[in-house]
Amino acid sequence: MKRIFYFNITYGCNSNCVFCYSHNTRHNSESYNEILVEQIFQYLECQGITSRDRVIINGGEPLLHTKIEEMLIGLIQYKCEVLIYTNGRLINNYDFTVLSKNFRFIVPIHGYETIHDSVTGVHGSYQETIEGLKYLVEGTECLVDIKLILNDRIISKDPIGEKILQEFEDTIVFNNAIHLTKMADTIISVRNNCQPIINEKASIFMQIFFDYFKNKNVKIKIFDTCIRSIGWLENKEIRKYKDSIEVYFKDKNQYRVIDLSKNLFGCRKNCPLIDKCISAVNEYKVLEYFEGKIYENLE
Ligand code: SF4
């Protein structure tokens, strides 16, 4: 059994993304509704956490939490995997040199600089994130993943992904995995008139991105998007994730075990890639490519 302990540690955020996943978040650059560090450790101890478990630290923006350093340093003792989902803008405010490879930062990129800043709603956010990535890759032992989230602005302003891929050539650094996904429709995205990303469009971009990263000696993790155009995947054998997964969600006010039942899209019926179309949201798994092989794996 793989146990995942998922914490939303604050609902404050210093960005104002046009598709923000959390309507609980307050976008005023201050921590808000924080879970106490002591509460986290009490809870993990109670659950009998071991090195085989995974802890997820999310928000809001988790690096706004007033005790984030103390929290991450405290997690070292369990020797478990720790994933930190952050917009990357505040990384340089902290000293993460004591963290090991058990700690993995997952940082979103929304397009080249102008697109990225227009999605986050903060001028200069791209540069801050780039600086944070450099610090993590060059100054710490942590693993660093990029989550490249396809959105309607990339589709309209960078129609073959040329400019964003040039940024990966010149500027964006990471050392572990690229996550490929598309913007989800949320209450906030609808309010901001973001165009939904249709499967046909997503699929074309996924092919472009997959072809680019396939030769870069990094892991590719694909989820919550359409992969039908990635011809390379057809007839490839996928190694299934064998373990069962249980997700325990905790924030300041609630606790629940998340139900991982599968949500079937209509398009699945006739799709030749059905066995490789994986939703991290509903299954907690992704399609992973590494060194010529494909796997069903965790994000
Ligand atoms: S089932 Fe096939 S067509 Fe539907 S989203 Fe998945 S890959 Fe695309």
PDB file of all heavy atoms in Angstrom, residues 6 9 16 40 54 74 89 117 119-120 153 159 179 188 223 231 256 280 287 290:
ATOM      1  N   TYR A   6      -1.482  14.202   2.129  1.00  0.00           N
ATOM      2  CA  TYR A   6      -1.601  15.422   1.323  1.00  0.00           C
ATOM      3  C   TYR A   6      -2.026  16.581   2.220  1.00  0.00           C
ATOM      4  O   TYR A   6      -3.108  16.548   2.800  1.00  0.00           O
ATOM      5  CB  TYR A   6      -2.659  15.177   0.248  1.00  0.00           C
ATOM      6  CG  TYR A   6      -2.717  16.191  -0.858  1.00  0.00           C
ATOM      7  CD1 TYR A   6      -2.459  15.816  -2.176  1.00  0.00           C
ATOM      8  CD2 TYR A   6      -3.042  17.516  -0.605  1.00  0.00           C
ATOM      9  CE1 TYR A   6      -2.514  16.750  -3.193  1.00  0.00           C
ATOM     10  CE2 TYR A   6      -3.093  18.441  -1.624  1.00  0.00           C
ATOM     11  CZ  TYR A   6      -2.830  18.059  -2.905  1.00  0.00           C
ATOM     12  OH  TYR A   6      -2.884  18.985  -3.927  1.00  0.00           O
ATOM     13  N   ILE A   9      -1.240  23.486   3.281  1.00  0.00           N
ATOM     14  CA  ILE A   9      -0.755  24.078   4.526  1.00  0.00           C
ATOM     15  C   ILE A   9      -1.150  25.542   4.704  1.00  0.00           C
ATOM     16  O   ILE A   9      -1.064  26.080   5.803  1.00  0.00           O
ATOM     17  CB  ILE A   9       0.770  23.904   4.678  1.00  0.00           C
ATOM     18  CG1 ILE A   9       1.517  24.595   3.527  1.00  0.00           C
ATOM     19  CG2 ILE A   9       1.137  22.434   4.776  1.00  0.00           C
ATOM     20  CD1 ILE A   9       3.010  24.693   3.777  1.00  0.00           C
ATOM     21  N   ASN A  16      -2.112  35.115  -8.755  1.00  0.00           N
ATOM     22  CA  ASN A  16      -3.554  35.230  -8.953  1.00  0.00           C
ATOM     23  C   ASN A  16      -3.905  34.540 -10.273  1.00  0.00           C
ATOM     24  O   ASN A  16      -4.413  35.183 -11.193  1.00  0.00           O
ATOM     25  CB  ASN A  16      -3.904  36.723  -8.995  1.00  0.00           C
ATOM     26  CG  ASN A  16      -5.361  36.956  -8.731  1.00  0.00           C
ATOM     27  OD1 ASN A  16      -6.138  36.018  -8.555  1.00  0.00           O
ATOM     28  ND2 ASN A  16      -5.756  38.212  -8.747  1.00  0.00           N
ATOM     29  N   ILE A  40       0.738  19.011  11.970  1.00  0.00           N
ATOM     30  CA  ILE A  40       1.212  18.116  10.913  1.00  0.00           C
ATOM     31  C   ILE A  40       1.990  16.951  11.511  1.00  0.00           C
ATOM     32  O   ILE A  40       1.745  15.785  11.185  1.00  0.00           O
ATOM     33  CB  ILE A  40       2.101  18.890   9.902  1.00  0.00           C
ATOM     34  CG1 ILE A  40       1.227  19.874   9.121  1.00  0.00           C
ATOM     35  CG2 ILE A  40       2.857  17.949   8.972  1.00  0.00           C
ATOM     36  CD1 ILE A  40       1.965  20.689   8.099  1.00  0.00           C
ATOM     37  N   ARG A  54       4.564   8.907   1.216  1.00  0.00           N
ATOM     38  CA  ARG A  54       4.829  10.166   0.512  1.00  0.00           C
ATOM     39  C   ARG A  54       4.058  11.277   1.206  1.00  0.00           C
ATOM     40  O   ARG A  54       2.891  11.117   1.522  1.00  0.00           O
ATOM     41  CB  ARG A  54       4.377  10.033  -0.947  1.00  0.00           C
ATOM     42  CG  ARG A  54       4.366  11.329  -1.701  1.00  0.00           C
ATOM     43  CD  ARG A  54       3.867  11.172  -3.140  1.00  0.00           C
ATOM     44  NE  ARG A  54       4.861  10.598  -4.011  1.00  0.00           N
ATOM     45  CZ  ARG A  54       4.803  10.653  -5.345  1.00  0.00           C
ATOM     46  NH1 ARG A  54       3.784  11.233  -5.945  1.00  0.00           N
ATOM     47  NH2 ARG A  54       5.733  10.107  -6.093  1.00  0.00           N
ATOM     48  N   GLY A  74      11.782  19.453   9.590  1.00  0.00           N
ATOM     49  CA  GLY A  74      11.196  18.444  10.482  1.00  0.00           C
ATOM     50  C   GLY A  74      10.831  17.164   9.746  1.00  0.00           C
ATOM     51  O   GLY A  74      10.826  16.072  10.339  1.00  0.00           O
ATOM     52  N   ARG A  89       8.164  31.319  -6.715  1.00  0.00           N
ATOM     53  CA  ARG A  89       8.541  32.735  -6.656  1.00  0.00           C
ATOM     54  C   ARG A  89       9.288  33.102  -5.377  1.00  0.00           C
ATOM     55  O   ARG A  89       9.992  34.103  -5.346  1.00  0.00           O
ATOM     56  CB  ARG A  89       7.279  33.606  -6.798  1.00  0.00           C
ATOM     57  CG  ARG A  89       6.630  33.469  -8.162  1.00  0.00           C
ATOM     58  CD  ARG A  89       5.399  34.349  -8.277  1.00  0.00           C
ATOM     59  NE  ARG A  89       5.689  35.685  -7.837  1.00  0.00           N
ATOM     60  CZ  ARG A  89       4.784  36.513  -7.297  1.00  0.00           C
ATOM     61  NH1 ARG A  89       3.542  36.114  -7.134  1.00  0.00           N
ATOM     62  NH2 ARG A  89       5.148  37.717  -6.930  1.00  0.00           N
ATOM     63  N   ASP A 117       3.453  35.439 -17.124  1.00  0.00           N
ATOM     64  CA  ASP A 117       3.052  36.538 -16.229  1.00  0.00           C
ATOM     65  C   ASP A 117       1.575  36.888 -16.393  1.00  0.00           C
ATOM     66  O   ASP A 117       0.909  37.272 -15.429  1.00  0.00           O
ATOM     67  CB  ASP A 117       3.910  37.787 -16.495  1.00  0.00           C
ATOM     68  CG  ASP A 117       5.311  37.643 -15.911  1.00  0.00           C
ATOM     69  OD1 ASP A 117       5.608  36.597 -15.309  1.00  0.00           O
ATOM     70  OD2 ASP A 117       6.114  38.583 -16.070  1.00  0.00           O
ATOM     71  N   VAL A 119      -0.756  34.758 -17.082  1.00  0.00           N
ATOM     72  CA  VAL A 119      -1.533  33.694 -16.421  1.00  0.00           C
ATOM     73  C   VAL A 119      -1.490  33.859 -14.900  1.00  0.00           C
ATOM     74  O   VAL A 119      -2.505  33.719 -14.222  1.00  0.00           O
ATOM     75  CB  VAL A 119      -1.018  32.291 -16.840  1.00  0.00           C
ATOM     76  CG1 VAL A 119      -1.625  31.203 -15.963  1.00  0.00           C
ATOM     77  CG2 VAL A 119      -1.338  32.016 -18.304  1.00  0.00           C
ATOM     78  N   THR A 120      -0.312  34.184 -14.365  1.00  0.00           N
ATOM     79  CA  THR A 120      -0.220  34.330 -12.896  1.00  0.00           C
ATOM     80  C   THR A 120      -0.809  35.654 -12.412  1.00  0.00           C
ATOM     81  O   THR A 120      -1.090  35.814 -11.223  1.00  0.00           O
ATOM     82  CB  THR A 120       1.247  34.299 -12.410  1.00  0.00           C
ATOM     83  OG1 THR A 120       1.941  35.422 -12.972  1.00  0.00           O
ATOM     84  CG2 THR A 120       1.953  33.022 -12.798  1.00  0.00           C
ATOM     85  N   ARG A 153      -3.658  30.687 -23.916  1.00  0.00           N
ATOM     86  CA  ARG A 153      -2.755  31.738 -24.407  1.00  0.00           C
ATOM     87  C   ARG A 153      -1.570  31.142 -25.163  1.00  0.00           C
ATOM     88  O   ARG A 153      -1.095  31.724 -26.139  1.00  0.00           O
ATOM     89  CB  ARG A 153      -2.270  32.591 -23.241  1.00  0.00           C
ATOM     90  CG  ARG A 153      -3.461  33.338 -22.638  1.00  0.00           C
ATOM     91  CD  ARG A 153      -3.209  33.879 -21.263  1.00  0.00           C
ATOM     92  NE  ARG A 153      -4.520  34.078 -20.654  1.00  0.00           N
ATOM     93  CZ  ARG A 153      -4.841  35.004 -19.786  1.00  0.00           C
ATOM     94  NH1 ARG A 153      -3.925  35.851 -19.382  1.00  0.00           N
ATOM     95  NH2 ARG A 153      -6.052  35.099 -19.314  1.00  0.00           N
ATOM     96  N   PRO A 159       1.633  29.068 -31.387  1.00  0.00           N
ATOM     97  CA  PRO A 159       0.825  27.957 -31.906  1.00  0.00           C
ATOM     98  C   PRO A 159       1.563  26.648 -32.199  1.00  0.00           C
ATOM     99  O   PRO A 159       0.908  25.612 -32.309  1.00  0.00           O
ATOM    100  CB  PRO A 159       0.195  28.522 -33.174  1.00  0.00           C
ATOM    101  CG  PRO A 159       0.927  29.763 -33.471  1.00  0.00           C
ATOM    102  CD  PRO A 159       1.601  30.252 -32.240  1.00  0.00           C
ATOM    103  N   HIS A 179       6.461  17.592 -16.345  1.00  0.00           N
ATOM    104  CA  HIS A 179       5.071  17.152 -16.275  1.00  0.00           C
ATOM    105  C   HIS A 179       4.327  17.853 -17.399  1.00  0.00           C
ATOM    106  O   HIS A 179       4.428  19.082 -17.533  1.00  0.00           O
ATOM    107  CB  HIS A 179       4.424  17.550 -14.955  1.00  0.00           C
ATOM    108  CG  HIS A 179       5.140  17.015 -13.746  1.00  0.00           C
ATOM    109  ND1 HIS A 179       4.465  16.636 -12.608  1.00  0.00           N
ATOM    110  CD2 HIS A 179       6.446  16.793 -13.485  1.00  0.00           C
ATOM    111  CE1 HIS A 179       5.330  16.213 -11.706  1.00  0.00           C
ATOM    112  NE2 HIS A 179       6.541  16.300 -12.216  1.00  0.00           N
ATOM    113  N   ILE A 188     -12.722  29.473 -11.249  1.00  0.00           N
ATOM    114  CA  ILE A 188     -11.967  30.709 -11.510  1.00  0.00           C
ATOM    115  C   ILE A 188     -11.696  30.882 -13.005  1.00  0.00           C
ATOM    116  O   ILE A 188     -11.781  31.987 -13.533  1.00  0.00           O
ATOM    117  CB  ILE A 188     -10.615  30.694 -10.741  1.00  0.00           C
ATOM    118  CG1 ILE A 188     -10.817  30.266  -9.284  1.00  0.00           C
ATOM    119  CG2 ILE A 188      -9.901  32.036 -10.848  1.00  0.00           C
ATOM    120  CD1 ILE A 188     -11.445  31.255  -8.371  1.00  0.00           C
ATOM    121  N   PHE A 223      -0.434  13.699 -17.765  1.00  0.00           N
ATOM    122  CA  PHE A 223      -1.697  13.404 -17.081  1.00  0.00           C
ATOM    123  C   PHE A 223      -2.731  14.487 -17.359  1.00  0.00           C
ATOM    124  O   PHE A 223      -2.391  15.620 -17.689  1.00  0.00           O
ATOM    125  CB  PHE A 223      -1.481  13.273 -15.573  1.00  0.00           C
ATOM    126  CG  PHE A 223      -0.796  14.457 -14.953  1.00  0.00           C
ATOM    127  CD1 PHE A 223      -1.530  15.494 -14.422  1.00  0.00           C
ATOM    128  CD2 PHE A 223       0.579  14.518 -14.905  1.00  0.00           C
ATOM    129  CE1 PHE A 223      -0.907  16.593 -13.855  1.00  0.00           C
ATOM    130  CE2 PHE A 223       1.216  15.620 -14.341  1.00  0.00           C
ATOM    131  CZ  PHE A 223       0.467  16.656 -13.817  1.00  0.00           C
ATOM    132  N   GLY A 231       1.910   9.434 -31.662  1.00  0.00           N
ATOM    133  CA  GLY A 231       1.954   8.155 -32.386  1.00  0.00           C
ATOM    134  C   GLY A 231       2.950   7.188 -31.776  1.00  0.00           C
ATOM    135  O   GLY A 231       2.758   5.969 -31.806  1.00  0.00           O
ATOM    136  N   ARG A 256      -9.896  13.962   5.230  1.00  0.00           N
ATOM    137  CA  ARG A 256     -10.684  12.934   4.546  1.00  0.00           C
ATOM    138  C   ARG A 256      -9.750  12.001   3.803  1.00  0.00           C
ATOM    139  O   ARG A 256      -8.608  12.366   3.496  1.00  0.00           O
ATOM    140  CB  ARG A 256     -11.711  13.547   3.596  1.00  0.00           C
ATOM    141  CG  ARG A 256     -11.125  14.283   2.420  1.00  0.00           C
ATOM    142  CD  ARG A 256     -12.158  15.193   1.783  1.00  0.00           C
ATOM    143  NE  ARG A 256     -11.535  16.318   1.138  1.00  0.00           N
ATOM    144  CZ  ARG A 256     -11.311  16.398  -0.168  1.00  0.00           C
ATOM    145  NH1 ARG A 256     -11.693  15.444  -0.972  1.00  0.00           N
ATOM    146  NH2 ARG A 256     -10.708  17.442  -0.685  1.00  0.00           N
ATOM    147  N   ALA A 280      -4.277  12.122 -13.324  1.00  0.00           N
ATOM    148  CA  ALA A 280      -3.711  12.230 -11.970  1.00  0.00           C
ATOM    149  C   ALA A 280      -4.791  12.617 -10.965  1.00  0.00           C
ATOM    150  O   ALA A 280      -4.734  12.232  -9.808  1.00  0.00           O
ATOM    151  CB  ALA A 280      -2.584  13.256 -11.950  1.00  0.00           C
ATOM    152  N   LEU A 287       1.101   8.898 -16.768  1.00  0.00           N
ATOM    153  CA  LEU A 287       1.842   8.095 -17.739  1.00  0.00           C
ATOM    154  C   LEU A 287       3.272   8.621 -17.710  1.00  0.00           C
ATOM    155  O   LEU A 287       3.496   9.804 -17.941  1.00  0.00           O
ATOM    156  CB  LEU A 287       1.237   8.286 -19.130  1.00  0.00           C
ATOM    157  CG  LEU A 287       1.978   7.560 -20.256  1.00  0.00           C
ATOM    158  CD1 LEU A 287       1.756   6.053 -20.156  1.00  0.00           C
ATOM    159  CD2 LEU A 287       1.518   8.059 -21.615  1.00  0.00           C
ATOM    160  N   PHE A 290      10.446   7.142 -19.622  1.00  0.00           N
ATOM    161  CA  PHE A 290      11.854   7.336 -19.251  1.00  0.00           C
ATOM    162  C   PHE A 290      12.708   6.309 -19.990  1.00  0.00           C
ATOM    163  O   PHE A 290      12.390   5.119 -19.985  1.00  0.00           O
ATOM    164  CB  PHE A 290      12.051   7.203 -17.737  1.00  0.00           C
ATOM    165  CG  PHE A 290      13.426   7.637 -17.282  1.00  0.00           C
ATOM    166  CD1 PHE A 290      13.946   8.875 -17.652  1.00  0.00           C
ATOM    167  CD2 PHE A 290      14.197   6.815 -16.482  1.00  0.00           C
ATOM    168  CE1 PHE A 290      15.204   9.285 -17.242  1.00  0.00           C
ATOM    169  CE2 PHE A 290      15.474   7.216 -16.064  1.00  0.00           C
ATOM    170  CZ  PHE A 290      15.963   8.456 -16.444  1.00  0.00           C
TER     171      PHE A 290
END
